[in-house]
Amino acid sequence: MNPKIALKKIWLDEDVTEFVVTVIDRVSTFKSKVYVGYDYLQSLIKELSTFKDQIYGGIYDIEMGEFGPEYASGAFKARLHYYVPGKLSIATHQQTEFFDFSNRKEAAESKMYLKTEPILLDNFIAQLQKLNSGDADEAELECA
């Protein structure tokens, strides 16, 4: 499988949208379900459109859902960093919904590290726009 980050819309109402976030590196795949506010995608598109041009050391965090047992569903965070011009690194952290395990609550977690390029980020932003308008149910950020 090719490395990527994929967002798939599962469900929405007038307040929240549920996504499955899938991260694939060269060896592993990890999925988590997250909830975001209704206007989250619109904000994400706007902020990524600004970030994409910050190729000299820009840093941007994508955050979806919330970490911890107090919150519904899971969480996803990705730190995007132009560590040299034209090279974009992505560090991800994901957590599933908490569940009963022995006599405590636990959640599966994953940290993965990916690299991509500015043109692939541009493609992702275009796919997010289709996702936001309802013309698609999934957006993928291809990685190298």
Side-chain angles (χ1 to χ4, degrees), residues 9 41 126-139:
K9 189 185 320 178
L41 278 181
Q127 290 179 33
L128 286 173
Q129 290 170 332
K130 289 182 180 179
L131 186 62
N132 190 46
S133 68
D135 293 335
D137 288 329
E138 191 167 355

Side-chain angles (χ1 to χ4, degrees), residues 5-137:
I5 298 172
L7 305 178
K8 184 174 184 181
K9 189 185 320 178
I10 300 300
W11 173 86
L12 68 108
D13 66 14
E14 61 276 348
D15 297 319
V16 297
T17 304
E18 180 182 21
F19 289 97
V20 170
V21 181
T22 304
V23 178
I24 300 171
D25 67 7
R26 289 181 163 48
V27 178
S28 304
T29 300
F30 194 88
K31 294 182 180 190
S32 56
K33 289 184 180 178
V34 298
Y35 292 110
V36 296
Y38 180 75
D39 60 349
Y40 175 82
L41 278 181
Q42 187 172 344
S43 296
L44 179 62
I45 291 164
K46 182 180 177 185
E47 292 169 9
L48 283 176
S49 295
T50 300
F51 167 75
K52 73 179 185 154
D53 296 325
Q54 299 173 356
I55 62 170
Y56 296 100
I59 294 176
Y60 179 74
D61 292 330
I62 297 173
E63 297 182 71
M64 303 174 80
E66 294 288 342
F67 290 89
E70 307 83 11
Y71 301 100
S73 204
F76 170 78
K77 181 176 180 177
R79 169 153 288 181
L80 287 69
H81 180 214
Y82 282 109
Y83 60 100
V84 295
K87 302 292 181 182
L88 183 58
S89 67
I90 305 169
T92 67
H93 181 202
Q94 285 176 271
Q95 184 179 74
T96 63
E97 185 172 16
F98 277 76
F99 56 91
D100 291 324
F101 183 78
S102 292
N103 60 348
R104 60 187 187 271
K105 295 275 190 186
E106 293 291 344
E109 292 194 43
S110 172
K111 291 186 178 183
M112 293 191 201
Y113 305 92
L114 308 160
K115 292 182 182 180
T116 193
E117 300 173 3
I119 189 67
L120 297 175
L121 180 59
D122 289 342
N123 294 345
F124 181 58
I125 293 168
Q127 290 179 33
L128 286 173
Q129 290 170 332
K130 289 182 180 179
L131 186 62
N132 190 46
S133 68
D135 293 335
D137 288 329

